[in-house]
Amino acid sequence: MMSDVMSNVMENCLHVQCYNEPAALERLLRVVRFRGFTVVNFSARLDAAGEHLKVILVVAGERPLHLLENQLRKNHDIFDVQVTDNVKQMAGYGA
């Protein structure tokens, strides 16, 4: 029964760039959760100037990814969202 549930779950990798504002990461993660996705892997790095965060998210969910992507683009903290195909290579896990 559990394998039937897991067969519908897709993993996707998102590269998100956002402003380094208070609670920006919390808002990003809240959108992911509210849109029905689970964070599988998460990495965030501040740029050299300390103004922007570069975030790599691997998310899993049954819902269409474009719903999450569109909602992230509406967030005032976020200025770029890119979806990548190779989850394991881009997220740096599962060697």
Side-chain angles (χ1 to χ4, degrees):
M1 191 85 156
M2 186 65 152
S3 63
D4 290 340
V5 173
M6 295 304 290
S7 66
N8 293 331
V9 175
M10 297 284 297
E11 283 190 6
N12 296 282
C13 185
L14 298 165
H15 289 244
V16 178
Q17 293 189 55
C18 62
Y19 298 106
N20 185 22
E21 298 290 332
L25 289 176
E26 289 88 340
R27 284 188 287 273
L28 185 150
L29 293 171
R30 184 175 56 227
V31 170
V32 171
R33 189 179 74 242
F34 283 0
R35 291 292 160 200
F37 291 84
T38 301
V39 175
V40 175
N41 195 349
F42 176 89
S43 174
R45 180 168 289 192
L46 197 57
D47 71 356
E51 296 178 1
H52 303 125
L53 287 163
K54 295 181 179 184
V55 181
I56 299 174
L57 284 167
V58 176
V59 297
E62 296 178 12
R63 300 185 73 194
L65 184 63
H66 71 88
L67 296 176
L68 174 59
E69 186 181 358
N70 291 342
Q71 197 64 33
L72 288 173
R73 290 182 190 282
K74 293 178 186 178
N75 187 317
H76 69 276
D77 296 316
I78 296 171
F79 61 89
D80 188 40
V81 178
Q82 299 294 321
V83 177
T84 60
D85 291 333
N86 193 335
V87 172
K88 290 183 180 179
Q89 178 184 354
M90 296 307 290
Y93 78 98

